[in-house]
Amino acid sequence: MSQLNNHSLRITKQRQIILDELCGVTSHPTADVLYQMVRKRLPKISLGTVYRNLEIMSECGIIQKLDIGGTQKRFDAAAHVHYHVRCNQCGRVDDLDLPPDFNVEKAAGQLTSFKILRHRLEFTGICPECQT
Amino acid sequence: MSQLNNHSLRITKQRQIILDELCGVTSHPTADVLYQMVRKRLPKISLGTVYRNLEIMSECGIIQKLDIGGTQKRFDAAAHVHYHVRCNQCGRVDDLDLPPDFNVEKAAGQLTSFKILRHRLEFTGICPECQT
DNA sequence: TTTGGTGCAAAGGCTTTGCAGAAAG
DNA sequence: CTTTCTGCAAAGCCTTTGCACCAAA
């Protein structure tokens, strides 16, 4: 568990359980799915608290907030960078680790049992105008 | 311009101008930005109409609806598959054409004047369970 | 105490949709 | 005429936020 910002973060039961549940799955749940999971252990928790804490924890680098398309964001306890496969039909998102140097199509086909239909590569960074 | 579904699509002034404006830019405007552009030529058009037609046109394959992260979807008149660079600061999205075989970091750095900070590769397809 | 967190509910941002009137075929 | 489309406004969905109370340090 990494360290925090300037202000001290308390380890509350809510936070602990949210993180715990997220760590306990290999899927990449949306906030509301995680909320349902957490509610089994903490029935009175609010969805707002789940969102708040997921946001905070991702800012601290404890978890990752995935913005990989679809209408809802997904969350991931794995801190390292990796790729994903999404199912067009059910929306399921699985991990996919790729070597730094690879042939996209080939590598993906070998590493997952998904039937790959498309892929999308997106870079993020600072555009020329914002660099100045 | 490709062909349509079972039901006949009419070529209305609204549709024509929306497509025209989208074709006229190399950026990947969000629906509301496109709405502003279109409004200069068609002041009474509604945002709903813009959304509706963008959706229809992307279903027909005339344009592409990009779901590449960020809160808003973006639209692109280019039908061919390609990649994108997004600016973390202003949200600007540029095209990036990559050869089928490439070294991700190197290729990207050479092809854009963005300062690349991260990249993300996402595959989509059908998961094992949905395949059966 | 003081500071930060929670639950609740309301508000926000983007997108979709129902409907009655308008327009194209 | 019939069918599709439009503008408008309302509703929907996901997420964020203000606030009063609560809890940890």
Side-chain angles (χ1 to χ4, degrees), chain B residues 25-45:
Chain B
V25 293
T26 60
S27 60
H28 305 73
T30 54
D32 65 298
V33 165
L34 201 46
Y35 170 57
Q36 298 304 339
M37 293 162 59
V38 169
R39 262 208 317 176
K40 289 179 187 148
R41 294 168 60 182
L42 218 56
K44 314 195 89 171
I45 197 172

Side-chain angles (χ1 to χ4, degrees), chain A:
Chain A
M1 212 166 290
S2 54
Q3 212 38 279
L4 320 169
N5 289 3
N6 27 12
H7 61 297
S8 60
L9 270 196
R10 287 177 187 165
I11 300 179
T12 62
K13 191 168 291 185
Q14 287 85 342
R15 242 161 235 175
Q16 211 161 272
I17 294 184
I18 292 170
L19 183 56
D20 198 44
E21 287 295 321
L22 186 56
C23 288
V25 293
T26 58
S27 60
H28 306 72
T30 55
D32 65 298
V33 165
L34 201 45
Y35 170 59
Q36 298 303 340
M37 292 162 60
V38 169
R39 266 216 305 182
K40 287 177 188 151
R41 294 169 61 184
L42 217 56
K44 314 193 90 172
I45 198 173
S46 74
L47 182 55
T49 295
V50 172
Y51 270 107
R52 236 181 328 233
N53 285 324
L54 287 172
E55 183 62 34
I56 289 170
M57 291 193 283
S58 74
E59 273 173 8
C60 292
I62 299 171
I63 65 170
Q64 274 190 279
K65 185 181 191 177
L66 306 177
D67 186 16
I68 56 177
T71 52
Q72 290 169 270
K73 306 255 184 303
R74 288 170 175 274
F75 297 87
D76 191 339
H80 69 105
V81 176
H82 56 273
Y83 304 118
H84 300 99
V85 223
R86 163 201 305 283
C87 179
N88 286 334
Q89 281 174 47
C90 68
R92 164 178 161 184
V93 175
D94 276 13
D95 285 339
L96 195 60
D97 284 298
L98 289 178
D101 241 72
F102 60 90
N103 173 306
V104 191
E105 317 245 319
K106 199 174 159 194
Q110 289 172 345
L111 290 168
T112 180
S113 46
F114 270 58
K115 178 176 185 178
I116 304 290
L117 296 178
R118 300 186 54 184
H119 65 271
R120 179 171 75 207
L121 179 57
E122 187 195 350
F123 295 90
T124 54
I126 312 298
C127 76
E129 277 153 37
C130 286
Q131 282 178 44
T132 58

